[in-house]
Amino acid sequence: MKILSRSDASRCALALALIAVPLLLALLGPLLAGPAGPRAVSFTFGEGHWLGTDFTGRDVGRQVLLGGRSVVLVALVATALAYAVAVPLGLAAALTRRTWLEDALMRPLDVLIAVPSLLLVLLVAATLTPGPAGLTVVVALAAVPDAARVVHAAAVEIASRPAVEALRMQGETWWRTAVGYVARSMRRTLAADAGIRLTGALYLVATAAFLGVGVDPDAADWAVMVDRNRTGLFLQPWAVVVPALLIAVLSMGTNLLFDAALQGRARKERKTR
C-alpha cells in the first residue's frame, strides 16, 4: 500500500526541491567558496563576481556560499536542544499524579510565554559572548516554553487512557510508560510541531543576526548580509534578495514537507482502520 498519494508525493517532491538548494549551499558552500579575492571599489559585476559585489567590495556570491551554515546549523541545533528539554519536561508534568508538581513545572513556562521571543533573545544575548554557541542556547530557550506546552497538552490526553493505567498497575518503569508508550503515541504531534518550531527558529536566528545580536556584524551570514546591504538595495539588489530568498525558501519547504508527510500518514492510518 502506498504511504503517500500522488498529490502528497508531489508536495513532498516540491518541498524537497525547495529545501535542497539552501541546505546544499549551507553544507557545501564553504567548500566551494574558495579564497577571498581583493575587494572591488564599486558594485562590480562580471570578472568572477557572478552576483556582483556589495558596498564594501566583497563578492556577493562568495558571501552567499559562506553565509548559510551559521543560520541553518544554529536553527537545527537550537530546535533539537529545545525538544531535549521540552519533551522530558512536558512528559513529567503530564504523567505526575501530584498537581503541585505539575503546576511547579508548567506555570513558570506560562510566564516565559508572555515574554516575546525576540525580547528574550535581546535580554539573554546581551549577557552572553557574541557567537553561534550563545545564539543557539538563546534560541533554544525561547522555543522551550511553547514546545513543552504542546508536549504536555498531547501527553495529558494520552496519559488518561486505560493503557497507561494498565502499565502502571503492572509496575512498568516511568521510562517505559512515558517514552515507550506516551511519547510514541504522540510522535505525529511532535513531528507537526517540529516543522513549526524549526521555522520559528530560522526566523528568530535570522532576526537576531539582522539586529546584530549574537553574531559578528562583519560575519558571512545570510541574515547579516540582508542587514548590511539593505541601504543599497536599489544599487545592488542581489546582496539582499538572494540571502533573504534562501531563508524564506528553506522555511516554506520545511513546513510543506512536514505537512505533506503527516497528511499522507494520516490517510494511510484511516485506510487501515
Side-chain angles (χ1 to χ4, degrees):
M1 182 183 295
K2 293 182 179 180
I3 295 179
L4 296 178
S5 66
R6 182 175 298 180
S7 61
D8 289 331
S10 299
R11 291 177 64 194
C12 281
L14 174 60
L16 289 173
L18 291 174
I19 293 173
V21 175
L23 279 185
L24 287 175
L25 284 176
L27 294 174
L28 303 179
L31 302 178
L32 304 174
R39 295 192 179 187
V41 295
S42 62
F43 295 113
T44 304
F45 288 87
E47 300 179 1
H49 306 300
W50 49 287
L51 286 178
T53 57
D54 62 14
F55 77 100
T56 63
R58 284 175 291 200
D59 182 78
V60 172
R62 185 173 184 274
Q63 294 294 301
V64 169
L65 291 174
L66 293 173
R69 182 168 293 183
S70 57
V71 175
V72 175
L73 288 183
V74 168
L76 288 173
V77 174
T79 302
L81 285 176
Y83 278 107
V85 176
V87 171
L89 191 62
L91 288 175
L95 291 172
T96 184
R97 294 183 172 181
R98 298 176 177 85
T99 304
W100 66 267
L101 180 57
E102 182 177 8
D103 290 338
L105 292 173
M106 299 305 298
R107 294 296 78 78
L109 299 180
D110 294 338
V111 177
L112 292 177
I113 288 176
V115 180
S117 298
L118 185 57
L119 179 59
L120 182 63
V121 169
L122 293 172
L123 291 175
V124 178
T127 63
L128 298 177
T129 303
L135 184 58
T136 301
V137 173
V138 173
V139 174
L141 288 175
V144 165
D146 281 329
R149 283 179 61 86
V150 170
V151 173
H152 176 258
V156 164
E157 187 275 328
I158 298 170
S160 64
R161 296 176 182 174
V164 174
E165 188 63 29
L167 288 172
R168 285 170 171 164
M169 293 178 65
Q170 292 173 8
E172 295 290 351
T173 62
W174 184 90
W175 178 266
R176 182 173 176 81
T177 302
V179 179
Y181 180 76
V182 177
R184 282 172 59 87
S185 299
M186 55 188 285
R187 59 185 182 275
R188 282 183 55 199
T189 301
L190 292 179
D193 185 66
I196 299 172
R197 210 63 55 207
L198 179 58
T199 300
L202 281 169
Y203 280 121
L204 194 56
V205 170
T207 304
F210 181 83
L211 295 175
V213 178
V215 180
D216 188 340
D218 200 43
D221 180 278
W222 287 344
V224 173
M225 287 181 65
V226 175
D227 177 49
R228 190 168 55 214
N229 296 288
R230 58 191 169 87
T231 55
L233 176 62
F234 295 103
L235 295 175
Q236 167 50 298
W238 301 119
V240 177
V241 173
V242 172
L245 189 61
L246 286 169
I247 294 173
V249 165
L250 181 57
S251 300
M252 291 170 54
T254 300
N255 272 331
L256 186 61
L257 179 63
F258 275 94
D259 288 345
L262 288 169
Q263 288 179 12
R265 182 77 179 182
R267 289 193 184 98
K268 181 188 176 184
E269 290 180 355
R270 286 197 296 267
K271 289 180 180 180
T272 57
R273 289 175 183 174

